Amino acid sequence: MNVPLYEKLWMWASGVLIVAFLTTVAIGVASSALQPPSHVETIDPAKVWTDPRFTARGVTVDSAGVTVVAVAIMFAFNPAELRVPAHRPIKFRLTSADVTHGFQIVGTNANTMVVPGYVSEFTTSFDRPGEYLIVCNEYCGLSHHVMSGKLIVEEARP
Ligand code: CUA
């Protein structure tokens, strides 16, 4: 078969790309990167409600800083409303009591998967006070689309 050189080059280029992508995936799997984008901390998803790390849900402010602890479950976040101060680092600690959920605060850089069996943790801060929508961005069941929460960022009082 007579294949023009130009087409051959494109065929080779796309072949190289496919191999490059598969290599990336293989390296990711081999280095055990299949977990939420976070440190590795495990939890028994059946005992989330009684686990001492998740019994005090909500926002805690102490000398260590501001921490948000929440559980994702079909089809809600518990607690559904979070009130945090602006301009301060907020540490989020999340887990799931059933299936994989997402936790995305719309209009901010806060976005993580919430995977049963793991604690997802990330720290971010919010400079604009106001109300933010929290959505689940991983399909988790029939009512996935109604799974939402609210984050209220408040200006610190003088
Ligand atoms: Cu939870 Cu989608």
Side-chain angles (χ1 to χ4, degrees):
M1 201 167 59
N2 190 15
V3 180
L5 173 68
Y6 191 61
E7 249 177 72
K8 266 191 207 157
L9 286 174
W10 276 109
M11 281 157 62
W12 275 107
S14 50
V16 166
L17 267 183
I18 290 166
V19 170
F21 289 150
L22 290 178
T23 308
T24 309
V25 172
I27 290 170
V29 171
S31 60
S32 322
L34 291 179
Q35 70 224 6
S38 167
H39 66 316
V40 181
E41 181 181 344
T42 56
I43 185 168
D44 182 348
K47 296 181 182 146
V48 160
W49 304 110
T50 50
D51 189 294
R53 291 170 291 173
F54 282 89
T55 45
R57 291 178 296 280
V59 183
T60 318
V61 184
D62 58 23
S63 56
V66 186
T67 308
V68 169
V69 171
V71 172
I73 185 168
M74 291 187 265
F75 296 97
F77 296 106
N78 183 308
E81 191 177 297
L82 301 165
R83 207 172 272 272
V84 298
H87 318 295
R88 286 187 65 177
I90 318 274
K91 188 204 277 180
F92 287 82
R93 287 176 53 77
L94 309 153
T95 194
S96 166
D98 42 40
V99 300
T100 297
H101 297 278
F103 181 93
Q104 179 178 9
I105 304 173
V106 177
T108 74
N109 68 348
N111 183 4
T112 186
M113 282 175 86
V114 185
V115 180
Y118 291 97
V119 177
S120 301
E121 186 179 297
F122 66 89
T123 301
T124 190
S125 59
F126 305 97
D127 289 333
R128 281 180 297 124
E131 277 190 23
Y132 294 83
L133 176 68
I134 304 172
V135 294
C136 173
N137 59 10
E138 295 285 339
Y139 183 74
C140 53
L142 281 179
S143 296
H144 157 73
H145 60 286
V146 301
M147 183 165 173
S148 68
K150 193 198 279 184
L151 177 87
I152 300 160
V153 178
E154 293 179 317
E155 198 66 70
R157 294 187 189 86

